[in-house]
Amino acid sequence: MEVAGQARAHVARLDLTAAQVAVLDGQAHTARALWNLLHEYCTFRQGRLASVKDCDAAIRQARREIDWIGRLPAQAAQAVLRTYRQAWANYFNPGHPAKRPGFKGRFRSRMAVDVPQGRDLNIARLNRRWGAVNLPKVGRVRFRWTRDLPGVTRGGPAGRITGARLVKDAFGWQIVFRAERRVPAPVAHRGEQVGIDRGITVALALSDGTTRDHGEWLTSGEKERLRRLEKKSARQRRARTPGRPTSTRLARTYDRIARLRATAKRRAVDWQHQTTTTELARTFGVVVVEDLTITNMVRSATGTIDQPGRNVRQKAGLNRAITGQAWGRTPCWSTRPVIAAGWW
């Protein structure tokens, strides 16, 4: 028996021209600016938060009066409003860890554009390696075909594409398809129970005596390249005139550093996904994870002027090691077995 409604995401790389990249960059900056305008409109009203009707009317009026807001498609603008209202709903929910919504900075926020309607995408497969998709105000764009999408290819998985989100990272623009798939009805997992202890020298130590470890996220050559790029960026920052915009060479150095760090993160996420979601979730019926307050464990030991900290450099190295292992992300992907916290 199959059940419907299981949400899945599929990420694919877009093959864009320079003109299409410029269009998507403009849409993403407009979406960020629209978020900031909504936040100012809602938080500066006296006594109450603006309603959805008021915000929608303000967006429509802004699209008529301000030319550059028209670069963002109307449905993407409505998606910004929905995301903003959901951020407030999460903040007011006592059981949700979300913080109070705030303004989005140009260099501190991820560039993204929503395509809420799946029917507007008109996805088609061109050949074994590439597919094509329609993007609003961008046109027909190729994307890297690595997996069959539900409801697109004949004989592929059952389901449908409900929408997409365009996200820019260090490697360029990616498209994240939101898929609704029909999957087999879940059954009870009859595997054994196991406890996991997260560490630094050994990534995962299981209660059955086995361990799960990984190699370095970057090779020796990549580490040396990263070290040289960081020294180069430090020299370029010292030569930069205060108050002047970042030079093209410094921006290029930052991009190279970001790509190397993104490569390390992708390898770490891939290892964690294969280890937790794939191996451990299929092997064991119950996975018990120790309850650690990681945010407190990685706090700085610098202290204050009146009470300076001790062993600050050693504590900073420990914090980097904990952050590099991504303890908070490792148990969160084991979604198939029952996860229990507070082990030993």
Side-chain angles (χ1 to χ4, degrees):
M1 185 181 66
E2 290 185 344
V3 295
Q6 190 176 39
R8 287 290 184 268
H10 175 64
V11 184
R13 175 169 56 88
L14 291 175
D15 183 24
L16 301 172
T17 63
Q20 291 173 336
V21 170
V23 171
L24 282 182
D25 288 349
Q27 291 185 8
H29 287 306
T30 303
R32 176 187 54 82
L34 182 59
W35 172 286
N36 292 338
L37 291 174
L38 281 172
H39 186 62
E40 182 178 2
Y41 178 73
C42 292
T43 56
F44 280 80
R45 294 171 65 92
Q46 297 180 355
R48 66 183 180 88
L49 186 67
S51 64
V52 177
K53 182 179 179 181
D54 294 338
C55 293
D56 181 67
I59 291 176
R60 293 177 184 272
Q61 182 179 358
R63 289 180 62 85
R64 290 192 299 266
E65 298 178 356
I66 305 176
D67 294 337
W68 57 266
I69 292 185
R71 296 183 301 183
L72 187 67
Q75 292 183 350
Q78 294 299 320
V80 174
L81 175 58
R82 287 194 298 270
T83 305
Y84 180 75
R85 299 295 299 189
Q86 185 61 44
W88 277 108
N90 295 338
Y91 171 68
F92 288 124
N93 184 3
H96 202 283
K99 297 182 180 179
R100 189 178 190 273
F103 292 100
K104 289 189 176 183
R106 182 181 180 90
F107 301 106
R108 292 181 289 106
S109 58
R110 171 175 285 191
M111 300 177 66
V113 180
D114 265 315
V115 185
Q117 299 294 336
R119 63 174 181 269
D120 298 336
L121 296 173
N122 193 16
I123 306 170
R125 185 168 187 176
L126 302 179
N127 51 46
R128 185 172 63 90
R129 295 180 178 272
W130 295 97
V133 61
N134 285 344
L135 301 182
K137 297 194 176 185
V138 178
R140 195 71 171 169
V141 176
R142 296 198 313 166
F143 68 91
R144 193 72 167 86
W145 191 283
T146 57
R147 182 182 300 177
D148 288 339
L149 299 175
V152 177
T153 55
R154 182 178 301 178
R160 63 191 181 97
I161 300 296
T162 60
R165 183 173 176 85
L166 310 175
V167 181
K168 188 176 184 179
D169 59 8
F171 296 97
W173 281 97
Q174 321 282 332
I175 184 169
V176 184
F177 294 103
R178 290 190 290 265
E180 197 175 78
R181 299 185 58 179
R182 300 183 62 88
V183 297
V187 296
H189 196 287
R190 302 186 180 280
E192 299 179 354
Q193 298 185 12
V194 70
I196 295 180
D197 185 12
R198 290 162 289 183
I200 296 174
T201 305
V202 178
L204 299 177
L206 277 59
S207 58
D208 60 359
T210 61
T211 60
R212 302 294 186 275
D213 206 350
H214 57 79
E216 297 290 340
W217 304 130
L218 293 176
T219 63
S220 58
E222 291 170 337
K223 288 182 179 179
E224 178 64 19
R225 194 179 314 131
L226 178 60
R227 186 187 69 85
R228 291 177 179 273
L229 288 173
E230 288 176 343
K231 292 180 64 176
K232 182 179 180 180
S233 67
R235 292 194 302 268
Q236 291 172 335
R237 286 196 303 270
R238 286 196 298 268
R240 175 172 171 263
T241 303
R244 297 293 300 275
T246 303
S247 65
T248 304
R249 292 183 179 181
L250 179 56
R252 190 183 303 117
T253 304
Y254 283 154
D255 291 341
R256 292 174 180 174
I257 293 174
R259 281 193 290 270
L260 282 173
R261 291 177 176 172
T263 299
K265 182 179 179 180
R266 284 188 173 188
R267 292 170 182 170
V269 170
D270 179 69
W271 178 84
Q272 289 168 335
H273 184 80
Q274 293 189 29
T275 303
T276 56
T277 306
T278 304
E279 180 192 357
L280 297 181
R282 292 178 179 177
T283 305
F284 302 101
V286 176
V287 177
V288 187
V289 183
E290 56 181 338
D291 189 9
L292 299 177
T293 308
I294 303 174
T295 55
N296 294 339
M297 297 178 64
V298 296
R299 284 182 178 175
S300 175
T302 305
T304 61
I305 297 177
D306 298 331
Q307 297 180 350
R310 301 176 57 185
N311 299 326
V312 177
R313 293 178 61 86
Q314 291 84 342
K315 183 62 168 63
L318 177 62
N319 292 346
R320 286 194 297 270
I322 294 175
T323 306
Q325 293 292 342
W327 286 358
R329 189 170 55 222
T330 298
C332 298
W333 287 21
S334 301
T335 55
R336 183 173 177 178
V338 177
I339 303 299
W343 179 54
W344 71 60

